[in-house]
């Protein structure tokens, strides 16, 4: 029998009392008398009384799983750990030379069950279940939960926005989240090699995901470098963004609070926090735009180098190390959020911010924009399609309850977004009270500016400002680190699974090279005009491309691989068949959900603006080109696959949409008869 691994199958002539025979590639055990054999690991051969019946036997899941002629394993087995006598085509191997089904007296003909032995190293697994859960939560809960959700919520009707948000989560986000966890756990593969088991022609999706992950690493870590700069600047009695007497301040700088009675605020006035962010940290005033970015800021370059050093030593050994790091990076932000929530709730004017955050405007629900924002927010918050969930789930035990994990982690993610809104808007209410302005006037900034200008200024005017500044920017860094760990692990797992013989024993060097590439790619975001590059990548390079990739992914799984086959896989893993709700979502609702976002983006392209810089038309073309550069892998691989396959065009097409046998992943059982 031909297999990818080195295996052994043998027929042995045995007499009672014969000693067990040890071999280099496997071990053979004889189970005598009327005792039932139990499945063992790593290539042991089992002997059961009786003859194998002619023809294949059915394989049932759970406790009723049958192997050969009535042999019942003591525990359910996974395809990765030996699913009975399944052959490469998914059936059950018939017993060669089988006789009638009658019982055989002791000393007669016996049936041997040989389990194939793989000489490859077993797949790494999580040390604890909580390592996996915290890693997924840390990945899903990122900076967008803190700055994007509160802003989108109040902008789109406050409390009324929660209705479309929850609907989009239930019918779109969570089913996609569940689907990716189940796929990764069943096939135990990264986002590239998994496609040979689903629909080989879509393998380009995996390469596109890896390129998108690199683009994200180019700009996302720069935001953490900004936060690190703020953190280092916080270790002083007076925070530098509270005064207008610094070298970077201009004549328009005004420290405008209710206690400053001698200060007049005009439309040209700027706060010290805004000038610290734009003129000292970013130094964006030294760049006229994307056409002239300027020099690299050495301070930010050192900050980013420190961030990538932490990232490298957290993921270089795999999930065994990153699973331990997330116990700090995933839990510390929740501690800080609770501290800031309690502090914000005790500030004067906090109630004004909460009312502004939650007061429903039901008329907004008639606007298409609200539903588009809800769909986009839940999609990017949960994060299917980035290869991360596939990678993380592939290190789970085969029978892990990924259904429960999907519900728990997605619920925690949504609740964290909701909690972050209170943390942000209690402080914005305080700022509005101190400035004697409306909350919407104070909360005019979105994105990173909400954190680095508005919130930083509010912290600076609190008692114990230094302490709160330190823990706040530590929280920002740790929220970002989790997502970076996850994003790069998705790429690493994909490449190691696709090229195991080349990279499996060189993981540390491959991770080092990957981190170096990410750092070099991020240099453009460290220039004086780097903030413009970050905004360009965020708007165009990743969003539309990853949504299109996930649309193709769900179509490939639901329509080509087949929902019934996918549900059977889940039943084999979890012991129950997914309900009608999940099947309908995967087949129809999720594709419509994703198509709705894509069409909305194309019909209403975002107006990109940062500070006072309006992005010219050529930057839009550049942004779309960057986005297409990753997505082009999908059709390019389809063409390559069809050209390199053998046979007629019809045969090539049929082969390209047929899942390949998983002989390399399944340890089959070969049933033989011995005298």
């Amino acid at each position: 029998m031909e297999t990818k691994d080195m295996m052994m199958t043998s027929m042995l002539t045995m007499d009672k009392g014969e000693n067990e025979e040890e071999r280099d590639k496997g071990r053979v055990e004889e189970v005598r008398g009327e005792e039932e054999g139990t499945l063992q690991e790593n290539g042991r051969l089992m002997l059961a009384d009786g003859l194998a019946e002619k023809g294949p036997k059915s394989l049932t899941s759970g406790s009723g799983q049958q192997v050969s002629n009535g042999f019942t394993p003591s525990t359910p087995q996974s395809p990765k750990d030996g699913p009975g006598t399944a052959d490469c085509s998914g059936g059950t191997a018939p017993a060669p030379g089988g006789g009638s089904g009658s019982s055989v007296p002791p000393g007669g003909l016996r049936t041997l069950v040989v389990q194939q032995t793989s000489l490859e190293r077993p797949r790494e697994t999580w040390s604890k279940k909580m390592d996996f859960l915290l890693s997924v939560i840390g990945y899903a809960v990122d900076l967008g939960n803190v700055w994007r959700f509160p802003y989108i919520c109040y902008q789109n009707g406050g409390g009324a926005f929660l209705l479309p948000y929850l609907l989009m989560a239930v019918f779109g986000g969570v089913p996609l989240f569940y689907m990716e966890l189940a796929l990764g756990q069943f096939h135990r593969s990264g986002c590239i090699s998994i496609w040979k088991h689903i629909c080989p022609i879509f393998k380009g999706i995996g390469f596109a995901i890896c390129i998108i992950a690199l683009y994200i690493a180019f700009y996302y870590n720069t935001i953490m470098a900004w936060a690190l700069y703020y953190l280092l600047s916080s270790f002083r009695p007076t925070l530098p963004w509270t005064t207008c007497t610094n070298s970077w301040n201009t004549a328009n700088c005004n420290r405008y609070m209710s206690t400053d009675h001698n200060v007049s605020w005009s439309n040209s006035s700027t706060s010290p926090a805004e000038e610290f962010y734009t003129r000292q940290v970013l130094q964006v005033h030294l760049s006229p735009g994307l056409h002239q970015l300027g020099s690299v800021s050495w301070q930010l370059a050192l900050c980013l180098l420190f961030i990538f050093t932490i990232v490298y030593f957290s993921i270089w050994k795999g999930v065994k190390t990153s699973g331990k790091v997330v116990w700090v990076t995933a839990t510390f932000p929740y501690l800080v959020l609770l501290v800031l929530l309690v502090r914000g709730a005790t500030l004067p004017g906090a109630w004004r911010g909460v009312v502004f955050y939650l007061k429903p405007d039901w008329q907004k629900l008639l606007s298409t924009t609200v539903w588009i924002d809800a769909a986009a927010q839940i999609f990017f918050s949960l994060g299917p399609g980035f290869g991360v969930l596939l990678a993380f789930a592939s290190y789970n035990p085969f029978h892990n309850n990924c259904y429960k994990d999907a519900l728990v982690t997605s619920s925690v993610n949504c609740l964290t977004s909701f909690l972050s809104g209170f943390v942000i808007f209690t402080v914005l209410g305080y700022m509005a009270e101190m400035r004697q302005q409306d909350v919407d006037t104070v909360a005019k900034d979105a994105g990173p500016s909400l954190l680095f200008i508005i919130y930083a200024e509010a912290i600076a005017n609190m008692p114990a400002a230094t302490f709160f500044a330190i823990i706040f920017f530590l929280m920002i860094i740790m929220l970002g680190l989790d997502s970076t760990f996850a994003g790069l692990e998705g790429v690493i797992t994909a490449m190691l699974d696709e090229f195991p013989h080349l990279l499996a024993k060189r993981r540390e060097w491959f991770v080092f090279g990957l981190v170096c590439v990410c750092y070099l790619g991020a240099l453009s975001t460290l220039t004086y005009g780097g903030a413009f590059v970050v905004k360009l990548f965020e708007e165009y390079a990743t969003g539309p491309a990853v949504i299109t990739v996930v649309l193709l992914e769900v179509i490939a799984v639901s329509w080509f691989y087949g929902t019934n086959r996918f549900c059977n896989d889940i039943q084999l893993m979890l012991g129950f068949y997914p309900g009608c709700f999940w099947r309908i979502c995967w087949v129809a609702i999720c594709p419509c959900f994703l198509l709705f976002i894509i069409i909305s983006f194309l019909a209403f392209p975002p107006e990109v603006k940062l500070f006072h810089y309006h992005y010219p038309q050529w930057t839009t073309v550049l942004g779309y080109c960057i986005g297409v550069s990753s997505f082009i892998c999908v059709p390019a691989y389809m063409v390559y696959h069809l050209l390199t396959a053998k046979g007629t065009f019809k045969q090539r097409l049929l082969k390209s949409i047929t899942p390949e046998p998983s002989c390399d992943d399944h340890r089959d059982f070969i049933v033989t008869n011995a005298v």
Side-chain angles (χ1 to χ4, degrees), residues 450-513:
L450 184 65
L451 302 180
F452 293 114
I453 297 178
I454 303 298
Y455 209 91
E457 185 175 0
I459 287 176
N461 288 282
M462 293 180 187
T466 299
F467 168 74
F468 285 108
I470 290 172
I471 64 170
F472 176 73
F473 290 112
L474 264 178
M475 179 191 75
I476 297 300
I477 293 171
M478 291 192 179
L479 283 172
L481 281 175
D482 287 333
S483 298
T484 297
F485 295 162
L488 294 183
E489 186 60 53
V491 178
I492 295 165
T493 299
M495 299 304 290
L496 263 61
D497 287 346
E498 181 66 12
F499 308 105
H501 302 295
L502 180 64
L503 301 176
K505 295 182 180 180
R506 302 179 180 88
R507 179 188 170 100
E508 292 87 351
W509 287 105
F510 174 69
V511 175
F512 180 76

Side-chain angles (χ1 to χ4, degrees), residues 415-428:
L415 290 174
T416 304
S417 297
F418 190 58
L419 173 68
S420 300
F422 286 98
V423 174
I424 296 294
F425 275 91
T426 51
V427 172
L428 292 181

Side-chain angles (χ1 to χ4, degrees), residues 66-400:
Q66 298 293 318
V67 180
S68 179
N69 57 333
F71 180 82
T72 305
S74 59
T75 56
Q77 296 296 312
S78 74
K80 308 301 171 185
D81 301 328
T85 60
D87 63 10
C88 292
S89 62
T92 307
S100 65
S102 61
S103 61
V104 178
L109 211 57
R110 299 171 183 268
T111 301
L112 300 182
V113 183
V114 182
Q115 184 179 0
Q116 296 174 352
T117 301
S118 171
L119 297 183
E120 293 183 359
R121 294 186 301 175
R123 190 172 185 84
E124 187 179 15
T125 56
W126 299 98
S127 299
K128 296 179 181 178
K129 174 67 175 285
M130 280 303 296
D131 292 358
F132 166 71
L133 291 177
L134 288 176
S135 295
V136 174
I137 290 172
Y139 161 66
V141 178
D142 64 350
L143 297 174
N145 294 72
V146 178
W147 81 48
R148 188 179 291 116
F149 177 82
Y151 179 82
I152 289 179
C153 186
Y154 95 79
Q155 192 181 46
N156 290 290
F161 176 75
L162 297 178
L163 176 62
Y165 180 76
L166 291 176
L167 287 176
M168 292 296 179
V170 169
F171 291 100
V174 177
L176 290 171
F177 197 85
Y178 177 26
M179 183 188 77
E180 285 216 348
L181 287 182
L183 284 173
Q185 185 170 302
F186 184 84
H187 295 288
R188 311 294 290 274
S189 301
C191 62
I192 297 177
S193 56
I194 194 173
W195 288 102
K196 66 184 178 183
H197 307 308
I198 298 174
C199 189
I201 200 171
F202 284 98
K203 191 175 181 179
I205 289 177
F207 293 106
I209 288 173
C210 291
I211 295 175
I212 292 171
L214 285 178
Y215 288 158
I216 293 173
F218 290 168
Y219 77 87
Y220 190 81
N221 297 282
T222 301
I223 300 173
M224 284 187 284
W226 300 343
L228 180 59
Y229 192 102
Y230 268 85
L231 176 65
L232 297 176
S233 301
S234 300
F235 288 96
R236 57 185 69 182
T238 303
L239 297 176
W241 57 88
T242 59
T243 62
C244 291
T245 58
N246 304 288
S247 59
W248 59 81
N249 292 126
T250 65
N252 292 327
C253 180
N254 282 323
R255 186 177 182 275
Y256 182 57
M257 302 297 283
S258 61
T259 54
D260 302 320
H261 300 290
N262 298 326
V263 175
S264 59
W265 188 268
S266 65
N267 292 332
S268 61
S269 298
T270 55
S271 66
E274 182 179 349
E275 291 202 347
F276 178 78
Y277 178 57
T278 59
R279 299 180 64 85
Q280 175 63 9
V281 179
L282 302 182
Q283 302 183 65
V284 74
H285 64 289
L286 299 177
S287 170
L290 279 171
H291 61 283
Q292 189 176 339
L293 295 176
S295 304
V296 173
S297 170
W298 66 268
Q299 298 97 328
L300 291 181
L302 290 178
C303 288
L304 187 63
L305 181 63
F306 182 75
I307 293 293
F308 272 119
T309 303
I310 295 175
V311 170
Y312 175 71
F313 286 107
S314 298
I315 64 175
W316 69 322
K317 292 292 186 182
V319 296
K320 296 291 187 184
T321 54
S322 63
K324 297 296 180 287
V325 176
V326 294
W327 281 82
V328 177
T329 58
T331 56
F332 181 78
Y334 284 96
L335 178 63
V336 176
L337 283 174
L338 291 175
V339 170
L340 293 175
L341 178 61
V342 172
R343 183 69 189 99
T346 60
L347 293 172
W351 63 273
R352 293 178 59 188
V354 173
V355 169
F356 186 80
Y357 172 46
L358 293 180
K359 183 180 178 181
D361 182 0
W362 299 107
Q363 291 294 325
K364 290 271 191 178
L365 297 183
L366 301 176
S367 172
T368 310
T369 307
V370 174
W371 296 87
I372 296 172
D373 287 345
Q377 173 61 27
I378 192 64
F379 175 83
F380 288 111
S381 182
L382 291 176
F386 292 92
V388 174
L389 301 177
L390 291 172
F392 280 172
S394 72
Y395 298 113
N396 275 335
F398 184 77
H399 294 290
N400 173 66

Side-chain angles (χ1 to χ4, degrees), residues 21 59 61 101 179 238-239 301 415-416 425 540 559 653 670:
E21 181 177 358
L59 180 68
S61 62
M179 183 188 77
T238 303
L239 297 176
L415 290 174
T416 304
F425 275 91
Y540 292 107
W559 299 358
L653 191 61
I670 313 304

